[in-house]
Amino acid sequence: DGICCTQDDINVLDFRVPNGIGISFPNPGHTSQCVYARQDMVLVGGLDRELNQCRIQQWSVRKGMQFCAYAFEPSGTQYTPHNLALSQVWGSSSLVMAVNGDGLSIFKTGKQCEVENVKDVVTSEDLSNPSFDYSNSRVLLISRDRPASWSLR
């Protein structure tokens, strides 16, 4: 029915059960900033507080556990709350994408996953509150401080 992230948990909501929570994934040490759910997959983008690094966690609802993690390359610039904040995450069976102030990062997904590093970055410019849309292998990157731009993937 939905996803709700708290400071320590990721809750998959199911209003058919009395307490409304179908499954809960413990998530200590990770500040959740954005979430996306599709079929069995739950993607949670946020900050690993111990490493001070952006990460995406992929959870499997059927297996009831974390399936994969995606790590962002360290930026050449000084990390600030602006470029660490993930504003959107999205995924399919072949790609996982997330955007923050450093740009849109694209990860290749696989059947077995440990920690995958970024495959491609669409831009490394300083973006203000960015978001994106993905359709037909094209990415529309949107930022508050510049015109939207299309990129082929």
Side-chain angles (χ1 to χ4, degrees), residues 110-141:
K111 294 200 186 289
Q112 293 298 331
C113 181
E114 294 187 9
V115 175
E116 291 288 326
N117 287 321
V118 68
K119 173 186 167 191
D120 193 15
V121 177
V122 170
T123 182
S124 60
E125 300 172 18
D126 190 29
L127 301 173
S128 175
N129 197 22
S131 63
F132 65 93
D133 195 11
Y134 180 73
S135 177
N136 296 327
S137 298
R138 292 174 46 136
V139 177
L140 178 64
L141 187 58

Side-chain angles (χ1 to χ4, degrees), residues 31-36 43-47 54-56 72 81-90 97-105 127-133 140-144:
T31 302
S32 302
Q33 297 169 329
C34 55
V35 66
Y36 175 80
L43 294 171
V44 179
L47 179 65
C54 291
R55 295 174 72 86
I56 301 170
F72 285 70
H82 166 73
N83 62 7
L84 277 177
L86 287 172
S87 56
Q88 185 180 353
V89 64
W90 177 88
M97 293 190 272
V99 67
N100 65 1
D102 285 337
L104 177 70
S105 298
L127 301 173
S128 175
N129 197 22
S131 63
F132 65 93
D133 195 11
L140 178 64
L141 187 58
I142 304 161
S143 179
R144 182 179 293 176

Side-chain angles (χ1 to χ4, degrees), residues 8 12 16 27-29 31 37 50 77 89 107 152-153:
D8 296 319
V12 178
R16 297 172 294 179
N27 199 23
T31 302
E50 290 179 18
T77 62
V89 64
F107 303 88
L152 293 176
R153 286 291 115 209

